[in-house]
Amino acid sequence: MPLPERKLIERIKRAARAPSPALTRGIGDDCAVLRPPRGQELLVTTDFSLEGVHFRRDWHPPESAGHRCLARGLSDIAAMGGEPLAAFLSLALPADMPQRWVDRFVRGLLKLARQFEVPLAGGDVAQSPTGVLADILLVGSVPQGKALLRSGAKLGEAIYVTGALGASAAAIQQMRAGKKLRPTQNRAHFFPEPRIAAGRLLRHRRLASAAIDLSDGLSTDLSHICEESGFGAIVDAESVPVAKGATLELALHGGEDYELLFTAPPRTRVPEAIAGVRVTRIGEIIRGDRVFLSDRQGRRRPMPPRGWEHFR
Amino acid sequence: MPLPERKLIERIKRAARAPSPALTRGIGDDCAVLRPPRGQELLVTTDFSLEGVHFRRDWHPPESAGHRCLARGLSDIAAMGGEPLAAFLSLALPADMPQRWVDRFVRGLLKLARQFEVPLAGGDVAQSPTGVLADILLVGSVPQGKALLRSGAKLGEAIYVTGALGASAAAIQQMRAGKKLRPTQNRAHFFPEPRIAAGRLLRHRRLASAAIDLSDGLSTDLSHICEESGFGAIVDAESVPVAKGATLELALHGGEDYELLFTAPPRTRVPEAIAGVRVTRIGEIIRGDRVFLSDRQGRRRPMPPRGWEHFR
């Protein structure tokens, strides 16, 4: 491998050096070696972060791009009620990439990794034909048979979300319109917080019957729960927690909120906040296979998935 | 996610449907859920396959690109003496990508996956700003503490390789010169065979003290063993098994052979063939931190790593 790539590996290796009970052998061999905790199942998820698709160098400071890259994977682990064990980063960079950008990207990623005590255990580096290409892989664990699945929703169950929705999509809308945003004042978009603690509690207290993270937007992600569970859903427009600066439209169809969407039996007492994050009841699982939005007057209209298309 | 991507997921999901004891939950949730075999450690490896870097659409039939993509990951598992448990494919495609190419890519990948009984358990899809971007992730297992590491080589040990070297690099050299090659007649390049069975036997019979797969070229990969083990090495030029149609130069510095390079104590009786693949003793671990090549007359010259730079 050419020298710049070896340098990058060495740099990440040094930066990532952190002890971890689950990691027997990290960067520096053909594979990383993990020792999974006893009685646990493993969770594996992988997510692209592609320049021009998931982030833009003129919009996102490198620390934000790195943070968001890891946050995508952590959020998937959160949605299963799991604990992150190790992260792996595949990173392809254009030949003329400034080293400073890469350093800051890795720093943003590792800062979030430290916050969740997840070691960066390996990955791959390559030269990219164009733009920054990152693929993040997360390995997590969950007690056997206890993972929160998309398929667990039952008829008549209530639908909940954590946090407020639409802030990330609102930020993109503003940047598209040419506005320069301050990352520190728009953390929901630039530095989203994966809901690991909330997912853990939902699983541990057996509150949720099904869960998914809101990465593609409420309308799309709820349709995944419905598909996998074999039901429909109705969402009460009035009760959707719209983030400050966002609209109902963005809260319903914008993506990258990285909040959790989950279902619970109607009589389950779901607290108003979980792990410090507000929880809001927004609807109900119904018969059929369609998702509806109901307005103040109780009128229903279909709400087909209008998936998040990133920056296209 | 846009419709073509959802279609791709559905297609892969259907194609990948194969029962597997280790896979509790595959494609269709936030994470895949794996049940690792008892008493085993987990191996994780991730490798890019980028169009223009690792394959070219005008050189490689899609089946070959898919096969080579998975082979890269399987070869890393082989080098640790492990068994593959599950594969994950992240695939980003240009908007104008012919569906037929994608189908054939996936077919080539899944054919190899079936051969090694490894389920395709998940991944990610995205739209690529340019070219096909694939990242393959392999999860494997190995009995606790038994993984073949790069760091296990000791002073005076013998160095071995499986198979013959340089055929893949020779094929690239010919294609660079404008020659059209028949994939079926150049399988070492287009359809390399990961040495899973050989790796398993090396570990099981405790033959190898250290191992690595030959992906970057002998000079580079041997330098990794030396670095991690804290020694130097000397390779006997005469004994290097040069593949038909290749040269010593290509055997030493060409890459993507996907054979295994390993070390063994001098008195270990290493068979002439392992799992049907020839094994050749090519050198010795020595003091220091440099790698040398010795000729027929016993003259040494330094052999610094001249890493594989793919198609650049």
Side-chain angles (χ1 to χ4, degrees), chain A residues 279-290:
Chain A
V279 174
T280 312
R281 182 172 175 153
I282 60 161
E284 194 183 321
I285 296 295
I286 61 173
R287 259 181 243 286
D289 58 4
R290 294 170 72 191

Side-chain angles (χ1 to χ4, degrees), chain B residues 70-152:
Chain B
L70 182 62
R72 298 192 69 194
L74 287 173
S75 184
D76 283 325
I77 299 285
M80 308 289 284
E83 302 291 338
L85 285 182
F88 298 78
L89 173 67
S90 292
L91 189 60
L93 301 167
D96 61 352
M97 197 66 199
Q99 186 60 56
R100 174 115 184 89
W101 193 95
V102 183
D103 285 346
R104 290 176 58 194
F105 176 93
V106 172
R107 197 183 306 152
L109 189 146
L110 288 176
K111 190 176 171 192
L112 185 64
R114 270 191 303 274
Q115 190 186 324
F116 287 95
E117 294 176 4
V118 50
L120 183 61
D124 192 17
V125 289
Q127 190 172 311
S128 157
T130 171
V132 178
L133 316 169
D135 191 27
I136 193 82
L137 154 71
L138 261 288
V139 178
S141 68
V142 69
Q144 204 159 306
K146 302 296 185 202
L148 302 177
L149 303 178
R150 295 179 180 180
S151 54

Side-chain angles (χ1 to χ4, degrees), chain A residues 35 41-42 46 90 130 135, chain B residues 35 41-42 46 90 130 135:
Chain A
R35 192 163 298 172
E41 283 177 320
L42 284 169
T46 151
S90 292
T130 171
D135 191 28
Chain B
R35 191 163 298 172
E41 284 178 318
L42 283 168
T46 151
S90 292
T130 171
D135 191 27

Side-chain angles (χ1 to χ4, degrees), chain B residues 78 81 148 160-163 193-211 259-264 268-281:
Chain B
L148 302 177
Y160 295 84
V161 288
T162 61
E193 213 168 300
R195 299 303 185 195
I196 293 286
R200 179 194 300 136
L201 284 175
L202 289 177
R203 191 238 323 134
H204 189 67
R205 295 200 204 151
R206 298 167 191 244
L207 293 172
S209 53
E259 295 293 347
L260 299 182
L261 174 72
F262 64 95
T263 56
T268 297
R269 285 193 52 187
V270 175
E272 283 178 18
I274 291 179
V277 184
R278 177 160 55 124
V279 174
T280 311
R281 182 170 175 156

Side-chain angles (χ1 to χ4, degrees), chain B residues 5-311:
Chain B
E5 298 178 5
R6 299 213 56 193
K7 264 192 182 158
L8 175 62
I9 291 184
E10 286 307 319
R11 204 176 285 260
I12 294 177
K13 206 169 159 177
R14 270 199 309 275
R17 198 164 288 163
S20 163
L23 190 64
T24 307
R25 179 91 198 158
I27 297 168
D29 223 303
D30 294 279
C31 299
V33 185
L34 293 176
R35 191 163 298 172
R38 263 168 195 274
Q40 303 263 315
E41 284 178 318
L42 283 168
L43 306 171
V44 182
T45 177
T46 151
D47 291 279
F48 273 127
S49 288
L50 307 178
E51 182 178 346
V53 180
H54 303 92
F55 69 91
R56 280 173 54 163
R57 259 193 270 173
D58 54 339
W59 286 359
H60 297 92
E63 289 86 354
S64 166
H67 177 110
R68 286 162 48 91
C69 174
L70 182 62
R72 298 192 69 194
L74 287 173
S75 184
D76 283 325
I77 299 285
M80 308 289 284
E83 302 291 338
L85 285 182
F88 298 78
L89 173 67
S90 292
L91 189 60
L93 301 167
D96 61 352
M97 197 66 199
Q99 186 60 56
R100 174 115 184 89
W101 193 95
V102 183
D103 285 346
R104 290 176 58 194
F105 176 93
V106 172
R107 197 183 306 152
L109 189 146
L110 288 176
K111 190 176 171 192
L112 185 64
R114 270 191 303 274
Q115 190 186 324
F116 287 95
E117 294 176 4
V118 50
L120 183 61
D124 192 17
V125 289
Q127 190 172 311
S128 157
T130 171
V132 178
L133 316 169
D135 191 27
I136 193 82
L137 154 71
L138 261 288
V139 178
S141 68
V142 69
Q144 204 159 306
K146 302 296 185 202
L148 302 177
L149 303 178
R150 295 179 180 180
S151 54
K154 283 164 232 50
L155 187 63
E157 287 193 336
I159 304 168
Y160 295 84
V161 288
T162 61
L165 310 182
S168 181
I172 290 174
Q173 207 175 47
Q174 289 181 67
M175 290 192 286
R176 269 219 181 97
K179 197 168 170 190
K180 196 118 180 94
L181 295 186
R182 286 200 189 167
T184 48
Q185 283 170 15
N186 292 271
R187 295 193 63 88
H189 175 73
F190 290 98
F191 298 99
E193 213 168 300
R195 299 303 185 195
I196 293 286
R200 179 194 300 136
L201 284 175
L202 289 177
R203 191 238 323 134
H204 189 67
R205 295 200 204 151
R206 298 167 191 244
L207 293 172
S209 53
I212 191 170
D213 75 316
L214 288 171
S215 52
D216 292 335
L218 176 61
S219 64
T220 300
D221 292 317
L222 179 54
S223 79
H224 292 320
I225 293 239
C226 288
E227 265 168 49
E228 297 292 329
S229 299
F231 289 110
I234 185 157
V235 170
D236 171 21
E238 290 274 295
S239 61
V240 172
V242 179
K244 216 183 125 193
T247 61
L248 176 64
E249 196 66 11
L250 291 172
L252 292 176
H253 307 294
E256 306 199 317
D257 287 313
Y258 299 117
E259 295 293 347
L260 299 182
L261 174 72
F262 64 95
T263 56
R267 266 174 261 172
T268 297
R269 285 193 52 187
V270 175
E272 283 178 18
I274 291 179
V277 184
R278 177 160 55 124
V279 174
T280 311
R281 182 170 175 156
I282 61 162
E284 194 183 320
I285 296 295
I286 61 173
R287 258 180 242 286
D289 57 4
R290 295 170 73 190
V291 176
F292 297 92
L293 187 70
S294 79
D295 64 13
R296 194 184 301 212
Q297 284 76 33
R299 281 176 306 218
R300 295 179 176 196
R301 56 182 173 92
M303 183 171 70
R306 289 225 320 260
W308 184 231
E309 302 196 12
H310 302 291
F311 304 147

